[in-house]
Amino acid sequence: MASFSRFCRIFAGAQMFRGLVPVARTAVLLLAVAATAGAQQYPNTSFNYTTEMNEAVTHLWDQLLFWATIVFVIVEIGILYIVFKFKARPNSPDPKHVHGNTALEIAWTAIPAVILAFIAVPTVKTIFMTQAKAPANALQVEVIGHQWWWEFRYPQYGITTATELYLPVGRPVNFKLNTKDVLHSFWIPRLGGKRDLISNRTNYLWMTPRDSMAMKSLNGSCNEYCGSSHANMKFRAFTVTPEQFASWAAHQRGPAVYGAVTPQSVPAATPAAAGAAATTRSGQIGAALADAAAPAPVGFIFPREKLDPSSLPSATPPSSIGFTAGLAGDAERGQKVYSRSSCIGCHKVSGNPMSAGVIGPNLTHFGSRYSLGGSLYENTTENLVRWIKNAPAMKPGSLMPAIGNGEYNPAIKAKVTMGGLSDQQIADVAAYLQALK
Ligand code: HEC
Ligand SMILES: [Cu+2]
């Protein structure tokens, strides 16, 4: 006790704490600002009431914070009381020396034990809730982690896609989590419930996005370090109405509009007519599609203007990847180049029987996605041609090889020669891929 009261005296007399006053004042101010700002400013906050899982966890957190605040206040009052009560005063005698205090020691063991038991009850309840089996009517989504991109399969609909996840509101979604390689961790913070993807094991995670969540673009990411492009392994979840989901799913399960109509659609008429068809298809693919597409053959696609500003990637390609300016891509030609290049060994495009690879993302509806490369780049022609030319230079460690003629391919530690593509061929392939709506 002697040393304790000496400690109190030192503590109370210390001048060093004076310096902390402005720091504390700033901290309180920042906390107040953070508390008043809405979720808009924090697109990745997980303290929401957007799903039942999220609500359970947020509620648990609120509860614990409430009780912890009470404990904090009581402890702080005790400390301040001791500090001022036993403060050193001129001529005060040395305090009484004691050794041990059984009552005090039992109290400071028992009280935390009771507090822990108190915390354990709601915590264990929440753990059981978040580990429960999904309802039978749940939408099944198989999530497959790859270094460094996310594959999503909807077995009930026969859909395989990548990076962009469409979720209907009001229906439970059951994520079946597997990895093709190393550990990853799946998380859409706004919906809550992060969970690991573990090799040779299947984990599940389910939740029901509330109706109020319709038409939101939510960020998702990998949260378990998985190698050089871990930080570039992102994805996006679109919460949509059941009708929008049905429209999206009906279209995504089949081949793309473009993929389905080629090559038969090319009129085998005069060379002049064929040339005209090719020109319509070149460059402005969107316009060509719009012509042909009066009753919206492309299913629902999440509207660009509803994208959260935080969900569009803003990375720009490294300047080391040059590309001939002003080349117009031709989708028709691009399809032919694509179908006899190495691409088909790694990528699948339904409706193109040549392209059945499963190593890379399924490209069947690539043109309807906003981003590429695990959401590292926006899906623009400028980014896409450079990606095809030299993916490893676009994304560290990328398992897609460099394909542009003369580019350095780290996989074979040499420049690309055999099977490499020219800038014109790449522009054509890009036009083909972007036509795959
Ligand atoms: C050895 C296998 C392999 C070959 C060959 C290959 N790719 Fe890829 N590709 C991948 C992998 C793996 C990814 C994912 C890379 C990442 O995001 O980290 C990918 C990603 C892509 C993407 C981005 C897709 C998305 O949704 O993010 C496009 C587009 C693409 N490849 C086109 C092509 C084209 C065109 C060719 C042929 C010229 C080609 N690939 C050849 C493996 C391959
Ligand atoms: Cu990771």
Side-chain angles (χ1 to χ4, degrees):
M1 268 313 200
S3 57
F4 179 63
S5 78
R6 197 170 299 141
F7 166 77
C8 290
R9 256 183 273 156
I10 293 165
F11 185 68
Q15 296 292 309
M16 60 182 179
F17 292 104
R18 291 255 171 95
L20 290 179
V21 171
V23 177
R25 211 176 280 147
T26 316
V28 168
L29 198 75
L30 282 179
L31 276 177
V33 169
T36 48
Q40 255 63 20
Q41 238 177 311
Y42 298 97
N44 300 325
T45 175
S46 60
F47 296 118
N48 309 297
Y49 290 83
T50 54
T51 64
E52 69 282 72
M53 141 138 350
N54 198 222
E55 173 170 352
V57 174
T58 306
H59 180 67
L60 176 66
W61 161 262
D62 288 347
Q63 234 177 327
L64 297 189
L65 186 67
F66 176 76
W67 293 111
T69 305
I70 291 179
V71 170
F72 174 80
V73 169
I74 292 172
V75 170
E76 287 309 304
I77 290 174
I79 289 177
L80 291 177
Y81 172 77
I82 292 168
V83 164
F84 289 105
K85 168 100 180 162
F86 299 104
K87 191 171 143 149
R89 291 186 176 82
N91 307 323
S92 56
D94 251 15
K96 204 172 79 183
H97 290 209
V98 293
H99 176 78
N101 185 328
T102 313
L104 193 61
E105 284 164 22
I106 289 176
W108 78 42
T109 308
I111 293 174
V114 170
I115 293 175
L116 286 185
F118 200 72
I119 290 174
V121 173
T123 305
V124 171
K125 241 172 69 183
T126 309
I127 290 174
F128 273 88
M129 188 252 156
T130 61
Q131 296 288 336
K133 238 176 118 83
N137 68 332
L139 170 71
Q140 306 292 332
V141 177
E142 297 173 8
V143 174
I144 302 161
H146 297 256
Q147 281 175 318
W148 291 271
W149 56 281
W150 296 92
E151 179 175 349
F152 302 117
R153 294 189 191 158
Y154 296 72
Q156 294 150 317
Y157 295 84
I159 296 170
T160 303
T161 183
T163 311
E164 285 175 7
L165 184 62
Y166 280 69
L167 301 174
V169 295
R171 181 171 173 193
V173 52
N174 187 26
F175 297 110
K176 182 177 174 209
L177 308 169
N178 288 106
T179 165
K180 262 270 144 48
D181 35 58
V182 300
L183 306 191
H184 302 281
S185 179
F186 174 85
W187 195 26
I188 307 168
R190 286 285 298 283
L191 299 182
K194 179 200 294 171
R195 197 149 291 167
D196 282 3
L197 282 63
I198 298 176
S199 320
N200 298 321
R201 192 194 143 86
T202 301
N203 275 347
Y204 292 91
L205 174 71
W206 71 270
M207 57 188 73
T208 314
R210 295 260 151 87
D211 289 349
S212 58
M213 288 301 288
M215 289 307 263
K216 300 259 192 293
S217 70
L218 312 169
N219 300 320
S221 53
C222 179
N223 301 277
E224 179 75 52
Y225 181 72
C226 58
S228 49
S229 261
H230 162 66
N232 300 326
M233 185 171 165
K234 292 183 249 173
F235 65 98
R236 197 169 307 107
F238 297 131
T239 42
V240 300
T241 66
E243 296 74 35
Q244 290 165 341
F245 180 78
S247 160
W248 174 81
H251 179 65
Q252 293 276 322
R253 68 188 309 167
V257 174
Y258 182 86
V261 294
T262 45
Q264 292 85 343
S265 78
V266 181
T270 60
T279 359
T280 350
R281 281 250 155 97
S282 64
Q284 286 302 317
I285 290 112
L289 269 183
D291 290 344
V298 176
F300 174 79
I301 295 176
F302 194 86
R304 169 173 282 268
E305 64 276 11
K306 289 279 183 184
L307 283 175
D308 190 273
S310 70
S311 15
L312 258 193
S314 57
T316 48
S319 53
S320 60
I321 314 174
F323 200 83
T324 317
L327 289 183
D330 181 301
E332 213 65 57
R333 274 200 318 252
Q335 189 195 42
K336 296 202 183 83
V337 175
Y338 174 89
S339 305
R340 47 166 205 266
S341 298
S342 58
C343 326
I344 55 176
C346 292
H347 292 287
K348 186 175 165 77
V349 173
S350 303
N352 182 342
M354 300 295 291
S355 180
V358 292
I359 293 169
N362 185 308
L363 300 177
T364 304
H365 293 278
F366 176 73
S368 66
R369 300 207 282 263
Y370 286 108
S371 66
L372 59 91
S375 198
L376 179 56
Y377 292 97
E378 195 180 339
N379 183 3
T380 62
T381 309
E382 292 71 37
N383 291 340
L384 179 58
V385 291
R386 286 171 178 82
W387 176 269
I388 298 171
K389 191 164 182 175
N390 195 338
M394 293 278 279
K395 182 172 179 180
S398 171
L399 297 177
M400 169 157 158
I403 289 173
N405 254 331
E407 294 293 305
Y408 179 75
N409 181 2
I412 53 167
K413 296 200 169 58
K415 287 196 170 171
V416 178
T417 48
M418 271 248 300
L421 301 182
S422 68
D423 281 5
Q424 180 61 59
Q425 286 174 314
I426 290 174
D428 294 343
V429 169
Y432 166 58
L433 293 181
Q434 288 188 324
L436 298 175
K437 299 266 165 151

